[in-house]
């Protein structure tokens, strides 16, 4: 693993937390549709708290938000057990950060359509390839790579991480691939199938679209990569070899980010893949607990061909979209 330091932005918590606290006193939880409607307005004067990461690095950590560990209560054993009241101020603070950058959104088929997801280790999922896993390495991937509507930015807020488990991150712009490999991987050869977090989409009978692994975005090379859900055996030997070289390069440039409570990791989901090192879940109420928010940047373009994809019938919930 490479030891490049992750850029850090210090954040003064006062304005953000007082704004979130005021919203919670009116709307109670981050799931209140009225709060969501007011979100763009509530974030409008907060300034540039959470800008997109610099293109060359593709990520940074926001540091300085307070976490009241005792007030959180126990880490829930499953996302569906999380109490929206306990973490309401943090949830709303995450949404405000997201709204200063772009539009927070969710998915119909994930965590009941919530905009703020709880990432906790869950019994029975230890060996899976989702955020609920623990004892296996969560392989590097773009978030929701199977879908053309995937996030441009992903925010991972840390409430608790007692064993300092590292989130891994690797920027495709740090890799050293030759032009022939980039050309090979820019052809739409393989599909990316929905991951295990999407039961309904996984049952889709729709023909999987073949998508490019790499493309050139306005800010540089971009990728759409999720090897755990990519049927590599369907590609020819040349493509498989180039895909393998990309995977090894991402491994070479990978960094580990050990989030502490109060940190928010901001990842450019077009430029950086993320994963997680293995760890032993405790299941005693003190486990690692992250909050995740997906963000859409309205002005960022992706390859036009993505617009024709069906997304396996999985629809985003995008309540801040202009109507
Ligand atoms: Fe992920």
């Amino acid at each position: 693993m490479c030891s490049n330091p992750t850029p850090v932005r210090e954040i003064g918590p006062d304005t953000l937390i007082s704004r979130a606290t005021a919203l919670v006193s009116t709307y109670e939880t981050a799931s209140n549709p009225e709060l969501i409607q007011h979100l763009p307005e509530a974030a409008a004067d907060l300034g540039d708290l959470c800008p997109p990461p610099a293109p060359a690095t593709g990520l940074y950590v926001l540091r300085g938000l307070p976490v009241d560990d005792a007030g959180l209560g126990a880490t829930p054993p499953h996302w569906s057990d999380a109490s929206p009241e306990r973490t309401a101020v943090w949830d709303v603070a995450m949404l405000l950060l997201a709204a200063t950058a772009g539009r927070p959104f969710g998915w119909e088929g994930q965590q009941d359509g919530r905009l703020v997801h709880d990432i906790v280790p869950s019994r029975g999922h230890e060996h899976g390839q989702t955020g609920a896993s623990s004892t296996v390495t969560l392989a590097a991937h773009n978030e929701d790579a199977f879908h053309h509507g995937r996030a441009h930015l992903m925010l991972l807020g840390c409430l608790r991480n007692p064993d300092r488990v590292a989130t891994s991150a690797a920027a495709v712009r740090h890799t050293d691939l030759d032009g022939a490999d980039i050309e090979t991987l820019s052809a739409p050869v393989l599909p990316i199938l929905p991951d295990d977090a999407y039961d309904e989409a996984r049952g889709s009978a729709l023909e999987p679209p073949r998508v490019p692994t790499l493309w050139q975005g306005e800010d540089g090379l971009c990728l759409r990569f999720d090897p755990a859900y990519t049927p590599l055996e369907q590609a020819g030997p040349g493509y498989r070899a180039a895909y393998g070289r990309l995977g090894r390069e991402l491994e070479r440039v990978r960094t580990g980010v050990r989030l502490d409570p109060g940190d928010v990791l901001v990842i450019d989901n077009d430029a950086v893949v993320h994963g997680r090192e293995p760890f032993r879940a405790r299941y005693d109420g003190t486990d690692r607990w992250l909050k995740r928010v997906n963000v859409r940047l309205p002005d960022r373009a992706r390859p036009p061909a993505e617009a024709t994809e069906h997304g396996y019938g999985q629809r985003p919930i995008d309540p801040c979209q202009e109507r």
Side-chain angles (χ1 to χ4, degrees):
M1 195 182 309
C2 124
S3 58
N4 283 344
T6 302
V8 173
R9 278 174 70 95
E10 297 289 339
I11 185 170
D14 297 352
T15 309
L16 180 65
I17 295 299
S18 61
R19 182 69 52 85
T21 303
L23 289 168
V24 168
S25 71
T26 304
Y27 300 109
E28 297 185 347
T29 74
S31 299
N32 186 328
E34 288 184 45
L35 178 143
I36 305 295
Q37 292 303 311
H38 281 90
L39 199 59
E41 179 189 324
D45 66 345
L46 288 177
D48 205 16
L49 285 182
C50 183
T57 53
L59 83 170
Y60 62 87
V61 172
L62 274 176
R63 185 158 288 159
L65 295 180
V67 173
D68 169 17
D69 188 73
L72 291 177
T75 300
H78 186 264
W79 66 262
S80 59
D81 298 311
S83 156
E85 290 80 17
R86 285 262 185 192
T87 58
V89 171
W90 245 85
D91 292 348
V92 173
M94 293 274 294
L95 288 180
L96 285 168
L97 286 173
T100 66
R103 295 200 312 266
F105 71 97
W107 297 98
E108 277 183 355
Q110 195 176 34
Q111 298 208 5
D112 280 346
R114 295 174 192 174
L115 301 193
V116 184
H117 297 159
D118 288 275
I119 309 297
V120 294
S122 296
R123 283 189 198 280
H125 296 266
E126 288 88 347
H127 298 276
Q129 282 294 313
T130 72
S133 70
S134 49
T135 55
V136 293
T137 297
L138 182 58
H141 62 281
N142 294 105
E143 193 69 2
D144 303 315
F146 73 95
H147 202 289
H148 57 288
R150 65 197 176 280
H152 295 117
L153 305 183
M154 185 181 70
L155 311 187
L156 285 177
C158 178
L159 296 182
R160 197 169 267 158
N161 189 15
D163 299 316
R164 304 201 77 233
V165 175
T167 301
S168 61
V172 71
R173 292 166 198 168
H174 295 168
T175 60
D176 184 16
L177 292 170
D178 67 27
D181 279 349
I182 292 174
E183 189 179 341
T184 298
L185 294 170
S186 297
V189 172
L190 291 173
I192 302 176
L193 304 174
D195 65 60
D196 287 338
Y198 294 90
D199 285 341
E200 194 181 320
R202 285 181 66 77
S204 168
L206 296 166
E207 176 73 16
R210 296 171 191 279
V211 302
T213 302
L214 300 177
W215 82 95
Q216 292 292 339
E218 284 177 14
D219 292 330
L221 191 62
C222 296
L223 84 170
R224 187 173 178 181
F225 183 76
D226 195 350
Y229 296 96
T230 299
L232 200 56
E233 70 282 359
Q234 293 178 14
Y239 192 92
R240 289 205 302 269
Y243 196 92
R245 284 190 285 274
L246 171 62
R248 287 191 292 279
E249 274 296 292
L250 290 169
E251 178 68 18
R252 183 180 66 80
V253 302
R254 176 171 62 98
T255 59
V257 185
R258 299 187 189 280
L259 296 174
D260 289 314
D263 289 349
V264 179
L265 177 59
V266 182
I267 292 179
D268 185 322
N269 195 40
D270 285 331
V272 172
V273 288
H274 65 278
R276 191 215 60 238
E277 68 181 3
F279 68 105
R280 181 187 290 262
R282 302 173 172 211
Y283 301 134
D284 64 354
T286 67
D287 265 317
R288 180 177 184 264
W289 185 1
L290 305 185
K291 294 279 185 176
R292 177 179 62 206
V293 177
N294 294 308
V295 182
R296 191 173 312 294
L297 301 177
D299 296 331
R300 181 181 287 186
R302 288 204 174 111
E306 291 198 11
T308 64
E309 293 179 23
H310 50 61
Y312 301 85
Q314 184 55 226
R315 283 185 293 274
I317 293 179
D318 195 350
C320 299
Q321 193 166 17
E322 285 176 0
R323 281 164 293 259

